[in-house]
Amino acid sequence: MTLALGCIADDFTGATDLANNLVRAGMRVVQTIGVPDQPVAAEVDAIVVALKSRTIPAAEAVEKSIAALRWLQAQGAQQIYFKYCSTFDSTPAGNIGPVTEALMDALGCDFTIATPAFPDNGRTVFKGYLFAGDALLNESGMEKHPLTPMTDPNLVRVMQAQTGRKVGLVDYRAVAQGADAVRARFDELRSQGVGVAIVDALSNEDLLRLGPALAGMPLVTAGSGVAIGLPANFGVSPSGAASALPSVQGRRAVLSGSCSLATNRQVRAFIESGRSALAIDPLRIANGEDVVTEALAWAGSMLIDGGPVLIYSTADSGAVQSIQGQLGVEKAGALVERTLADIARGLVALHGVRQLVVAGGETSGACVQALDIGQLQIGPQIDPGVPWCHAPCEAAGDEGLLIALKSGNFGTDDFFTKSFAAVP
Ligand SMILES: Nc1ncnc2c1ncn2[C@@H]1O[C@H](COP(=O)(O)OP(=O)(O)OP(=O)(O)O)[C@@H](O)[C@H]1O
Ligand SMILES: O=C(O)[C@@H](O)C(=O)CO
């Protein structure tokens, strides 16, 4: 197998987001859950190793990322892509800086880029400043993120606080002039001792112009946007065939543990459409009540018509803060994740669910692990950043499972119904 791209993603939904952009640009892609202990059997152009390393201690994130790198190198990867969030989720302790630096050291590489730009989802970088939609990052709500509050929109400063390498900027003027101008700017920055260049990008056209300048660079670090410009470097062009998935028939369900604004709107829209939905109360879980058995009994009766049904812990920020105040942030998160993960397993193993949407990065991680899914084949996009995937899954029997992992802030308001209309 000739593996063009070996990718390391710092969370599970972010990994499918990256894989989705590569598939749309024509690559055949497999996403693995963690570092596999054997080679991927399928003939693919890219492998995305999904880690849960965004908010763990930096030393652990480095260790896991290096393990992923070594495995990808053993598969023959020609270029390494470190994928992080399009809102650059990190703290001065990491993990974007420390992981980037460790990968550079391990690859013997003295220069790389960093850009979270993802214009399809409103993330743009201008003069090194990151915007989410019309707002600067630090005015977008991300400044209140419980784990990685982003209070500075200037990515040169943010990255410089996380790395010993000198950080510089390739600004929009160089990007607008095309790959030769970008390469010239890379050379200029290198001669000034810069090791990491933040790159501006305002549109997909910018990312497509940037792509050729990255050919041969051992390490690229970015959100998922930069991926649209890389497949052409390997002679790959867009084709519907890359996103073909096996068809799987069965019942349909949505599990939502994300409390983002977008997911709150999506839950409301699903309920308002008159479909069946069940709310999970974290305090009842904490009181030791058997919420999993109750939810599965409810789903058993509601799924008679095939679904989709929705089971959710999604709540607005006031309600979440109140729960967290009573249980503690970590305990509340862990209890809810475990409960939704056990429900995911029951829905598939007991109730014949074969088309499953999961909302939230941490929630997706817990559900995928409970379903003992080791790898995902990436299919067609539902909304930017969210594709349908096919997973071999023992609990689902021979045909496996169709699953979509939705990042908290992605998707239109009707995502939970429109996903099933878009099943491949
Ligand atoms: N009602 C609730 N009260 C307190 N915590 C909750 C509640 N519902 C969910 N949680 C927890 O909140 C966290 C949500 O994180 P998750 O990563 O799943 O969603 P997200 O942050 O919106 O998604 P993403 O990381 O993709 O942006 C999980 O740990 C989940 O268990
Ligand atoms: O880049 C993004 O915004 C997403 O893929 C993600 O990583 C959300 O957690």
Side-chain angles (χ1 to χ4, degrees):
M1 179 170 70
T2 316
L3 185 64
L5 278 178
C7 311
I8 303 166
D10 69 354
D11 87 342
F12 286 19
T13 46
T16 38
D17 171 14
L18 170 61
N20 177 56
N21 275 351
L22 292 171
V23 165
R24 282 163 58 76
M27 281 189 159
R28 297 158 302 166
V29 184
V30 159
Q31 173 178 335
T32 68
I33 307 301
V35 182
D37 46 22
Q38 51 195 10
V40 162
E43 183 70 24
V44 289
D45 305 299
I47 300 177
V48 183
V49 176
L51 301 178
K52 252 169 152 276
S53 57
R54 186 171 290 173
T55 56
I56 61 178
E60 279 174 46
V62 165
E63 192 186 318
K64 285 177 192 281
S65 305
I66 293 295
L69 169 69
R70 295 301 178 213
W71 183 84
L72 288 164
Q73 284 177 315
Q75 313 312 304
Q78 295 169 51
Q79 185 170 44
I80 300 296
Y81 191 126
F82 170 38
K83 154 72 174 72
Y84 38 73
C85 192
S86 61
T87 41
F88 215 69
D89 298 16
S90 54
T91 69
N95 290 335
I96 297 175
V99 170
T100 298
E101 214 166 323
L103 293 172
M104 289 175 80
D105 290 344
L107 286 160
C109 124
D110 68 343
F111 187 82
T112 187
I113 63 146
T115 182
F118 186 12
D120 278 351
N121 266 325
R123 272 61 153 177
T124 52
V125 183
F126 177 61
K127 296 191 177 188
Y129 286 78
L130 176 56
F131 289 79
D134 294 329
L136 277 166
L137 180 64
N138 61 320
E139 297 170 6
S140 70
M142 279 305 295
E143 71 278 14
K144 294 196 190 116
H145 192 284
L147 301 175
T148 52
M150 301 303 292
T151 54
D152 185 353
N154 182 313
L155 296 179
V156 176
R157 276 196 305 254
V158 171
M159 189 63 173
Q160 193 63 81
Q162 298 182 29
T163 174
R165 309 259 175 163
K166 191 169 166 190
V167 181
L169 174 67
V170 178
D171 85 1
Y172 69 100
R173 284 167 291 212
V175 177
Q177 285 169 45
D180 286 343
V182 172
R183 277 192 214 98
R185 180 67 181 144
F186 285 169
D187 290 343
E188 188 183 0
L189 289 172
R190 247 195 185 113
S191 72
Q192 295 165 0
V194 167
V196 182
I198 304 294
V199 183
D200 280 356
L202 306 176
S203 61
N204 282 348
E205 289 67 35
D206 281 344
L207 294 170
L208 292 170
R209 274 190 289 271
L210 172 64
L214 303 177
M217 191 176 269
L219 173 70
V220 170
T221 89
S224 66
V226 167
I228 69 172
L230 297 186
N233 292 344
F234 299 94
V236 174
S237 49
S239 125
S243 65
L245 287 187
S247 131
V248 183
Q249 301 305 321
R251 291 171 163 174
R252 297 166 292 173
V254 183
L255 285 172
S256 178
S258 160
C259 297
S260 71
L261 291 175
T263 308
N264 270 284
R265 287 196 300 272
Q266 289 155 352
V267 167
R268 261 197 314 275
F270 186 92
I271 294 169
E272 282 164 11
S273 76
R275 297 188 176 270
S276 307
L278 178 73
I280 298 291
D281 178 356
L283 293 179
R284 293 192 60 229
I285 310 172
N287 282 340
E289 294 177 47
D290 192 352
V291 170
V292 173
T293 304
E294 273 176 31
L296 288 174
W298 173 85
S301 58
M302 293 299 163
L303 275 167
I304 288 167
D305 69 353
V309 298
L310 164 67
I311 299 177
Y312 67 100
S313 64
T314 303
D316 63 29
S317 60
V320 172
Q321 269 169 21
S322 158
I323 299 287
Q324 289 175 335
Q326 294 171 70
L327 301 178
V329 175
E330 271 181 34
K331 185 174 171 197
L335 283 176
V336 174
E337 282 170 40
R338 173 104 306 270
T339 301
L340 290 176
D342 288 346
I343 294 171
R345 199 176 158 78
L347 287 174
V348 173
L350 307 174
H351 290 315
V353 167
R354 296 291 178 270
Q355 298 170 2
L356 179 66
V357 172
V358 187
E362 296 301 324
T363 309
S364 294
C367 290
V368 160
Q369 279 165 345
L371 286 164
D372 207 12
I373 289 172
Q375 103 183 22
L376 298 169
Q377 186 188 342
I378 310 300
Q381 170 173 295
I382 305 166
D383 261 335
V386 201
W388 274 111
C389 307
H390 178 264
C393 169
E394 212 174 297
D398 291 345
E399 292 193 343
L401 178 70
L402 289 177
I403 188 164
L405 308 178
K406 187 195 82 74
S407 289
N409 280 312
F410 287 178
T412 54
D413 290 358
D414 59 350
F415 186 87
F416 292 157
T417 43
K418 92 173 183 198
S419 314
F420 296 100
V423 160

